[in-house]
């Protein structure tokens, strides 16, 4: 651990938060080897993405509850309520625009995929605030939090790519969407760093918001889609349960390890 760490500056905050956003694109790379687009593959991909989102949701909620504020629990709860309303509103907006197109996708597929991207992007706002606040704490702590987030972004980029690529989106394009979904991180890190007093109180609300949105999209979009595709492939839900559990455990293990390292 560096004792006489360089002071946190606007430039440093911007550098680390931008780097953090860019690593999200790395998550798409494993899919370069993805060839066959079968219902079975789509089922497994969506299920793995759901497992990762659920684990991310758990750790976002825990992070919010651990914020050193007397009413952190209430703030997380308010954020979760707002997150739920946000998803309901976004979904109803997308459903009213049935002709919606996204990347090379149309109709129901475009709506579902867009909802996932919107949720991933929205939850990045809270993470950006987290980066800014942590740099204000100690510059070294900010570097740890950014590094942890940069690694956490890789499986999240994978979750985005797991939904896009099996539907025919090129890997490079999927990587680009993954990076875009993390752009709010540098965008929010800077104001949060400069106005930490105001943002510090908003952080648990943002984390609650992000946790609820992620959990909702996993349970009500990714998992039903996964089961539907699995039924087409005449596979069983038990197989999906294995994939879900594996992805959840793997992502949670990564997050726990990163959390330990950042303390
Ligand atoms: Zn995240």
């Amino acid at each position: 651990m560096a004792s006489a760490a360089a002071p946190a500056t606007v430039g440093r905050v911007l550098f680390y938060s931008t780097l953090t956003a860019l690593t999200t694109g790395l998550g798409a790379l494993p899919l370069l080897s993805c060839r066959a687009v079968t219902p079975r593959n789509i089922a497994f991909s969506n299920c793995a993405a759901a497992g990762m989102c659920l684990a991310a949701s758990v750790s976002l909620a825990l992070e919010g509850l651990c914020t050193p504020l007397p009413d952190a629990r209430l703030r997380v709860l308010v954020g979760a309520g707002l997150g739920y309303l946000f998803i309901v509103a976004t979904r109803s907006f997308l459903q009213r625009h049935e002709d919606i197109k996204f990347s090379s996708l149309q109709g129901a597929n475009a709506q579902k995929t867009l909802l996932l991207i919107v949720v991933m992007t929205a939850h990045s706002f809270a993470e950006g605030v987290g980066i800014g606040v942590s740099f204000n704490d100690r510059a070294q702590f900010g570097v740890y939090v950014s590094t942890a987030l940069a690694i956490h972004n890789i499986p999240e980029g994978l979750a985005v790519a797991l939904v896009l690529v099996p539907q025919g989106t090129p890997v490079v394009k999927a990587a680009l969407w993954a990076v875009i979904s993390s752009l709010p991180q540098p965008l929010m890190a800077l104001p949060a760093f400069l106005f930490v007093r105001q943002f510090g109180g908003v952080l648990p609300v943002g984390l609650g918001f992000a946790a609820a949105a992620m959990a909702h999209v996993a349970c009500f979009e990714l998992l039903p889609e996964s089961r539907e595709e699995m039924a087409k492939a005449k596979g069983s839900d038990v197989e999906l349960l294995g994939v879900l559990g594996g992805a959840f455990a793997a992502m949670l293990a990564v997050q726990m390890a990163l959390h330990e390292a950042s303390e």
Side-chain angles (χ1 to χ4, degrees):
M1 191 171 290
S3 49
T9 57
V10 165
R12 270 192 112 189
V13 175
L14 209 62
F15 173 76
Y16 280 103
S17 53
T18 305
L19 214 62
T20 301
L22 289 178
T23 57
T24 321
L26 296 178
L29 297 185
L31 295 190
L32 281 171
S33 60
C34 169
R35 273 168 246 106
V37 181
T38 61
R40 203 180 170 78
N41 281 354
I42 298 180
F44 282 145
S45 299
N46 275 283
C47 193
M52 289 177 195
C53 285
L54 280 175
S57 166
V58 168
S59 66
L60 286 164
L62 287 177
E63 199 115 333
L65 293 172
C66 292
T67 0
L69 287 170
D71 55 354
R73 219 180 274 185
L74 181 69
R75 285 176 199 244
V76 171
L77 221 64
V78 168
L82 291 174
Y84 175 74
L85 290 178
F86 172 78
I87 292 289
V88 171
T90 309
R91 189 198 266 159
S92 96
F93 173 83
L94 290 174
Q95 276 167 352
R96 269 181 280 124
H97 296 77
E98 279 189 356
D99 52 341
I100 215 152
K101 283 190 185 139
F102 177 73
S103 200
S104 51
L105 313 172
Q106 289 180 353
N109 282 344
Q111 286 175 352
K112 249 179 300 188
T113 311
L114 202 56
L115 188 67
L116 176 74
I117 305 267
V118 168
V119 167
M120 285 296 191
T121 311
H123 102 283
S124 296
F125 279 90
E127 292 173 343
V129 173
I131 296 179
V133 171
S134 66
F135 265 103
N136 227 292
D137 192 10
R138 270 178 297 135
Q140 199 58 32
F141 185 55
V143 174
Y144 277 132
V145 169
S146 309
T147 310
L149 208 56
I151 298 171
H152 147 118
N153 277 346
I154 298 173
E156 283 189 357
L158 176 63
V160 170
L162 278 172
V163 173
L164 278 171
V165 176
Q167 297 188 83
T169 305
V171 173
V172 176
K173 222 169 167 180
L176 205 66
W177 277 113
V179 172
I180 288 172
S181 77
S182 281
L183 283 185
Q185 288 167 7
L187 227 68
M188 292 311 290
L190 211 55
F193 171 66
L194 294 172
F195 305 103
V196 69
R197 213 176 270 271
Q198 289 82 343
F199 277 94
V202 177
L203 185 59
V205 181
L207 290 169
F209 177 101
M214 286 281 245
H216 195 282
V217 94
C219 296
F220 298 103
E221 301 291 332
L222 296 172
L223 282 179
E225 161 88 2
S226 165
R227 291 189 65 198
E228 220 172 89
E229 294 293 324
M230 203 52 170
K232 276 188 216 165
K234 307 223 181 319
S236 78
D237 283 348
V238 178
E239 288 175 81
L240 289 183
L241 215 59
V243 173
L244 183 73
F248 180 85
M251 179 83 167
L252 204 62
V254 168
Q255 305 216 322
M256 294 289 189
L258 293 173
H259 189 79
E260 302 257 295
S262 73
E263 277 184 333

